Amino acid sequence: MPKKIAIFPASFDPVTNGHADLIDRICSLGVFDQLIVAIGINPAKPARFTLEERIQMLEAVIQPYPQAELDWYTGLTAHYAQTRGARAIIRGLREVSDFEWEFKMARMNQHIAPDIDTLFMMANTQYAHISSTLVMEVVQMGQGKVSEEKLQEMVPPIVVEFIKRKFEGQL
């Protein structure tokens, strides 16, 4: 019987507690034999953290999950999923406004790779307001007034350490 593989793609720039929660929930479901947490490289979207930094952060986050594997890719998610033999692409939805974009992407992925389904998972309400972009805006615009405790409510401890190093003197 073929392995049931799912892809959880995102830029993870940086990984948030919302991402970590979804990884935990996906792995805990027991539906998939393997979860590939895939860092998507979008050349049109400048990254705040290098690929190497994002890999290091995510390695720490997925370490407790033996069925989770880390990878990265460029190009279309549907093509990447096909090359990895995935049966599903998992996308997190934080708010209703996410659905319209994600629905369009799911339809396009289905058009490109009809054998791969997109599964939507609702964000835990505790993390629904958190995005990588907002975290970095808070860090950069907070001008040193954002406590480490507040950051840990948004991102895993390893990410706090990377943020502290990258923005030394600004936190």
Side-chain angles (χ1 to χ4, degrees):
M1 196 160 188
K3 255 180 141 175
K4 291 181 277 182
I5 301 170
I7 306 287
F8 178 38
S11 63
F12 300 106
D13 190 32
V15 58
T16 68
N17 286 338
H19 292 127
D21 179 64
L22 281 177
I23 291 167
D24 178 67
R25 290 168 46 211
I26 295 163
C27 289
S28 297
L29 283 173
V31 173
F32 299 102
D33 301 313
Q34 182 179 13
L35 172 66
I36 301 171
V37 179
I39 302 169
I41 308 298
N42 181 348
K45 186 178 176 185
R48 295 169 202 88
F49 290 93
T50 66
L51 175 60
E52 293 75 22
E53 289 170 324
R54 289 182 275 169
I55 288 170
Q56 289 175 20
M57 288 184 264
L58 275 165
E59 281 176 341
V61 170
I62 69 167
Q63 190 273 329
Y65 308 101
Q67 72 271 46
E69 171 190 327
L70 183 59
D71 198 7
W72 63 273
Y73 69 99
T74 60
L76 297 176
T77 300
H79 287 160
Y80 172 75
Q82 285 177 317
T83 66
R84 294 305 308 263
R87 294 177 59 184
I89 297 169
I90 301 180
R91 300 295 298 165
L93 296 175
R94 291 172 302 199
E95 302 172 347
V96 175
S97 59
D98 287 347
F99 182 75
E100 186 175 349
W101 171 254
E102 293 294 345
F103 184 78
K104 288 177 188 176
M105 290 302 300
R107 288 289 186 220
M108 184 56 73
N109 286 337
Q110 186 179 45
H111 181 77
I112 294 167
D115 54 327
I116 300 173
D117 285 308
T118 299
L119 304 177
F120 296 119
M121 288 188 71
M122 298 302 297
N124 184 319
T125 55
Q126 178 180 355
Y127 306 118
H129 64 288
I130 298 172
S131 70
S132 298
T133 301
L134 282 177
V135 168
M136 295 314 298
E137 285 180 12
V138 165
V139 167
Q140 292 174 309
M141 297 173 78
Q143 300 175 344
K145 296 179 182 149
V146 180
S147 70
E148 191 169 324
E149 292 77 27
K150 285 294 177 192
L151 277 177
Q152 286 183 1
E153 291 172 7
M154 297 181 269
V155 296
I158 182 97
V159 178
V160 173
E161 294 307 313
F162 272 85
I163 288 172
K164 284 168 46 179
R165 281 195 300 257
K166 187 168 279 290
F167 298 96
E168 194 173 340
Q170 296 178 35
L171 295 179

